[in-house]
Amino acid sequence: MTEHSPNDQFHASSFLQGANAAYIDQMHARYVQDKASVDAQWAAFFDSLDEDPADAAQAANGPSWARRDWPPTPDDDLTAALTGEWPATPAKEARAAGDKIKAEAQKKGVEVTDAQVQRAVVDSLRALMIIRAYRIRGHLIADLDPLGMRDTAVHAELDPASYGFTEADMDRPIFIDNVLGLQVANLRQILDILKRTYCGTFALQFMHISDPVQAAWLKERIEGYGKEIAFTREGRRAILNKLVEAEGFEKFLHVKYMGTKRFGLDGGEALIPAMEQIIKRGGALGVKEIAIGMPHRGRLNILANVMGKPYRAIFNEFQGGSFKPEEVDGSGDVKYHLGASSDREFDGNVVHLSLTANPSHLEAVNPVVLGKVRAKQDQIGDSERRAVLPILLHGDAAFAGQGVVAECFGLSGLRGHKTGGTMHIVVNNQIGFTTAPHFSRSRP
């Protein structure tokens, strides 16, 4: 014998189910406005309810406690970059662009027809779409592959033809309203600026930054003509000097201690002047101490040419000795595990450097450095977190493949863990322990 609740029968036969409530409320609201807008049977049903018309209209609008701003539907560039759903340009923005174009033409004493304005507006909107595409995707075709190992794929988003431009349109003036620092530019100029900014040996990704002030600062800093870094003669000489020191050190070790495990920096010598500049600029901006965590590769060069460790101490360690015997525990290739500390002075600003000791599991040093920096900030009362800077160096394969890197990023914004920002430097040799990137991971 099977028992069935009468409610089951009512639920199966009734048209007044909860799933239909919103639909019926909306139909009732239409009926209040115009009785002929619903079927006669529904009109008879609503007549029988004898309900106040105002209540019917209120029910169609939903409960009084319902939020109108939830769920959120952001239409900013960050969300569009993640979802690929670009918001349609509102008509008022197109009209505003048309008004600006007319105003510019009138300043020059030129009369333009509505058809010309419409074409100019379309050109402007398409040009702005190309500019936004390069800001988001330009790094995909950046010149970051000197070995030629990567396949050069064509990206339709970066092709002017995808936006309706042809070769005949390349030299036509387009109004871009100072977006790249230019009021008017042709497409050839626009692409030249974009490729130099986002697709050269230097490439920048900033569209993921949710703070509009920070994103605008970066945009203003790099986009347009004349934004390249210009070094003085003395600056270029200082960079060359550090490169010569770095390469000469590696060559000497290769000749003097051939076959000895040394984890050379060969090919990544630019790291040395980069570190020097970070220390010098950081000291000028108020940094008092820098904590460094790094892998084995390049450690000896960092010790010699950045930390200022004496050459004779390094060479003594190659011959089996120790710089500070009382601090050495155990045996093995300890010179690649030990830390160091020193003071560097630039332009009267003294910065204390500390290189944290780390084991063979390279990225394990990351949370140690971050914890050390946070502790020092708390000890000196650095609530703005400007006086102590963490610098973490990585190999490209370790940065992409080691989970502890992502975990440290995940903690970076939490109140109990934040350090005010970390400088990450990825030394990219395009190969991680004999494995090329396309065999080791699926993301770039």
Side-chain angles (χ1 to χ4, degrees), residues 119 123 126 164-166 168-175 184-188:
R119 179 178 179 179
D123 280 349
R126 288 174 175 173
F165 289 108
T166 65
D169 302 320
M170 296 297 287
D171 298 308
R172 186 168 67 245
I174 300 174
F175 177 75
V184 177
N186 59 45
L187 192 59
R188 207 178 299 277

Side-chain angles (χ1 to χ4, degrees), residues 276-293:
E276 288 270 307
Q277 179 65 13
I278 292 170
I279 298 167
K280 180 179 179 180
R281 183 68 175 153
L285 293 174
V287 172
K288 302 299 182 185
E289 186 168 348
I290 295 177
I292 305 169

Side-chain angles (χ1 to χ4, degrees), residues 122-257:
V122 171
D123 280 349
S124 295
L125 295 179
R126 288 174 175 173
L128 294 177
M129 290 172 68
I130 292 176
I131 292 170
R132 183 156 57 177
Y134 269 86
R135 287 171 176 169
I136 297 169
R137 308 290 188 199
H139 65 279
L140 296 177
I141 59 172
D143 184 15
L144 307 178
D145 182 21
L147 302 181
M149 297 172 62
R150 190 180 64 183
D151 294 333
T152 54
V154 177
H155 296 277
E157 296 160 287
L158 306 178
D159 184 1
S162 301
Y163 302 89
F165 289 108
T166 65
E167 185 62 31
D169 302 320
M170 296 297 287
D171 298 308
R172 186 168 67 245
I174 300 174
F175 177 75
I176 56 176
D177 199 18
N178 287 317
V179 171
L180 296 176
L182 299 172
Q183 190 77 358
V184 177
N186 59 45
L187 192 59
R188 207 178 299 277
Q189 291 174 307
I190 292 172
L191 292 175
D192 176 61
I193 293 175
L194 292 173
K195 288 179 179 178
R196 285 193 300 111
T197 303
Y198 296 106
C199 308
T201 53
F202 169 85
L204 179 72
Q205 281 179 272
F206 69 89
M207 294 294 280
H208 62 282
I209 297 175
S210 57
D211 186 333
V213 176
Q214 294 179 5
W217 185 90
L218 287 169
K219 198 187 310 177
E220 173 65 25
R221 181 69 179 80
I222 67 164
E223 283 187 347
Y225 288 117
K227 298 298 179 68
E228 297 86 353
I229 297 295
F231 293 104
T232 63
R233 180 180 178 85
E234 292 74 17
R236 293 196 298 270
R237 187 187 296 273
I239 292 172
L240 175 61
N241 185 56
K242 297 307 294 186
L243 287 173
V244 170
E245 288 180 4
E247 189 167 355
F249 179 77
E250 295 294 347
K251 286 184 176 180
F252 178 83
L253 292 181
H254 179 67
V255 173
K256 183 69 175 178
Y257 303 102

